[in-house]
């Protein structure tokens, strides 16, 4: 079994009921292929992980437990960008199976967490995986909910949430400016945005990435440029936009974990470290505030 979906095959029949807003490749990878089940994403969070907080000696072999911890710690890095989140309402854009939304609720004291994803299969999985948290407590509404929606058309009213976060989903967004405008719309005054994923470092790098990494070539990911992503947030009216490179806590350990797994060591995803080391892409944390 590969740790990522295989490179796309020639186009065939439509991928089914995922909806017209999803490119075929995205619909298939998060539908029938179910990326959360492949070995490189042990635990089902579907992210590269943030590895700086792992216990033990730095050079020891990395375990599957370490891999799961790294994925959880990437969420903790993002959620830690919110000041005093206790009791507030949060939206996760691109929630997948909802495991990060549940972590946010459990560990950060949020009042309500809304997990949103564009793929109906992911929403169904999120509801199944988090059934216990979704059940309302006696006499009070549930604090976790999941809904289907696109990043550029969030199905919530204006000024609905205090915190908006997204973990390794924005590489799938076809319309980053549209997402930025929607984020600014649904955030209450004084609300905060925190987003993390991998971005191309320059326009030239964005043009080079499809030749190195199949997801950029087959339509799964879009090689957004980091400066353009930050500019989109500013243009939408968000303020105090800050960009922080966190790649030194992502790529080397992710690649080391892959190299230590016999079934994973020779797979193409190890090219992400090459892309990082050659200056084509990096992993970033973006934060911003609503006016």
């Amino acid at each position: 079994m590969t740790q990522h979906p295989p490179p796309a095959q020639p186009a065939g029949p439509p991928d089914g009921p995922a909806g017209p807003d999803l490119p075929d490749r995205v619909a298939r990878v998060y539908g029938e292929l179910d990326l959360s089940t492949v070995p490189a994403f042990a635990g089902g969070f579907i992210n590269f992980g943030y590895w700086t907080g792992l216990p033990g000696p730095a050079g020891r072999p990395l375990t599957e437990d370490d891999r799961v911890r790294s994925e959880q710690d990437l969420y903790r890095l993002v959620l830690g960008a919110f000041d005093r989140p206790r009791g507030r309402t949060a939206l996760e854009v691109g929630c997948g199976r909802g495991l990060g939304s549940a972590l946010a609720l459990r560990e950060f004291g949020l009042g309500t967490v809304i997990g949103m994803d564009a793929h109906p299969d992911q929403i169904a999985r999120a509801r199944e995986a988090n059934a216990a948290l979704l059940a309302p407590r006696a006499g009070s509404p549930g604090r976790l909910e999941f809904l289907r929606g696109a990043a550029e058309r969030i199905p919530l009213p204006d000024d609905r949430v205090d915190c908006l976060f997204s973990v390794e989903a924005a590489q799938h967004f076809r319309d980053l400016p549209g997402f930025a405008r929607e984020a600014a719309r649904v955030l209450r005054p004084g609300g905060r945005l925190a987003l993390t994923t991998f971005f191309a470092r320059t326009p030239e790098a964005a043009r080079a990435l499809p030749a190195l990494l199949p997801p950029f070539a087959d339509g799964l990911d879009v090689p957004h440029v980091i400066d353009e992503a930050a500019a989109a947030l500013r243009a939408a009216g968000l303020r105090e936009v800050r960009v922080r490179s966190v790649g030194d806590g992502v790529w080397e350990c992710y690649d080391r974990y892959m190299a230590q797994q016999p079934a994973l060591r020779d797979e193409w995803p190890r090219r992400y470290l090459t892309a990082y080391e050659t200056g084509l892409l990096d992993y970033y944390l973006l934060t911003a505030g609503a006016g």
Side-chain angles (χ1 to χ4, degrees), residues 200-210 223 225 279-281:
R201 287 180 172 174
T202 65
E204 295 75 19
R207 291 191 288 271
L209 281 168
V225 178
L280 295 179
L281 61 68

Side-chain angles (χ1 to χ4, degrees), residues 51-63 66 252-253 256-257 260:
W51 301 76
T52 62
L54 298 183
R60 67 172 174 80
L62 297 171
T63 67
D66 293 327
E252 190 276 332
C253 281
R256 183 153 62 91
Y257 174 79
Q260 292 170 3

Side-chain angles (χ1 to χ4, degrees), residues 8-286:
Q9 301 301 310
D15 285 300
D21 293 336
L22 288 175
D24 287 349
R25 186 61 174 156
V26 176
R28 187 161 185 256
V29 165
Y30 291 99
E32 66 176 276
L33 294 179
D34 189 1
L35 193 59
S36 68
T37 65
V38 300
F41 295 123
F45 285 84
I46 320 181
N47 67 62
F48 286 116
Y50 189 63
W51 301 76
T52 62
L54 298 183
R60 67 172 174 80
L62 297 171
T63 67
E64 185 174 288
D65 286 344
D66 293 327
R67 180 70 184 103
V68 175
R69 167 73 180 268
S70 78
E71 295 174 274
Q72 295 169 332
D73 281 354
L74 186 60
Y75 268 93
R76 294 177 179 119
L77 174 72
V78 172
L79 293 161
F82 297 126
D83 183 36
R84 296 187 297 275
R86 183 167 297 278
R88 297 189 177 185
T89 299
L91 168 68
E92 179 179 9
V93 177
C95 68
R97 292 181 60 210
L99 304 181
S101 294
L103 182 150
L105 189 65
R106 289 194 310 268
E107 296 189 12
F108 287 81
L110 289 153
T112 300
V113 177
I114 304 164
M116 186 190 81
D117 202 278
H119 202 301
D121 291 358
Q122 294 289 66
I123 293 299
R125 292 174 188 128
R127 289 171 176 159
E128 180 179 1
N130 299 283
L133 281 173
L134 288 170
R137 296 180 181 177
S140 65
R143 297 170 55 215
L144 179 66
E145 60 182 281
F146 295 102
L147 57 85
R148 187 183 177 197
E152 68 275 11
R153 287 193 305 280
I154 297 173
L156 293 175
D158 296 356
D159 302 333
R160 176 66 175 83
V161 301
D162 304 295
C163 308
L164 187 152
F165 64 101
S166 183
V167 175
E168 206 165 303
Q171 74 278 7
H172 299 314
F173 300 169
R174 267 51 191 174
D175 181 6
L176 264 182
F179 160 71
R181 290 189 294 269
E182 282 291 271
R185 180 185 67 79
V186 302
L187 278 168
R188 293 176 178 136
R192 298 288 297 172
L193 172 148
L195 176 154
T196 194
T197 195
F198 46 96
F199 290 94
R201 287 180 172 174
T202 65
E204 295 75 19
R207 291 191 288 271
L209 281 168
L212 180 66
L213 289 164
F216 292 118
D218 67 22
L220 180 63
D221 296 336
V222 180
H224 295 301
V225 178
I226 183 58
D227 288 346
E228 294 173 1
L233 297 178
R234 295 187 186 98
L238 295 170
R239 57 185 176 79
E240 298 177 359
V241 177
R242 296 189 175 94
V243 176
R244 173 186 166 194
S245 168
V246 296
D248 58 351
V250 176
W251 301 116
E252 190 276 332
C253 281
Y254 169 77
D255 187 77
R256 183 153 62 91
Y257 174 79
M258 299 279 282
Q260 292 170 3
Q261 312 304 312
L264 308 180
R265 64 165 63 108
D266 297 324
E267 294 291 336
W268 61 260
R270 296 196 61 200
R271 299 178 198 169
Y272 283 99
L273 180 61
T274 301
Y276 171 62
E277 291 178 336
T278 56
L280 295 179
L281 61 68
D282 199 357
Y283 214 98
Y284 296 93
L285 173 65
L286 285 77

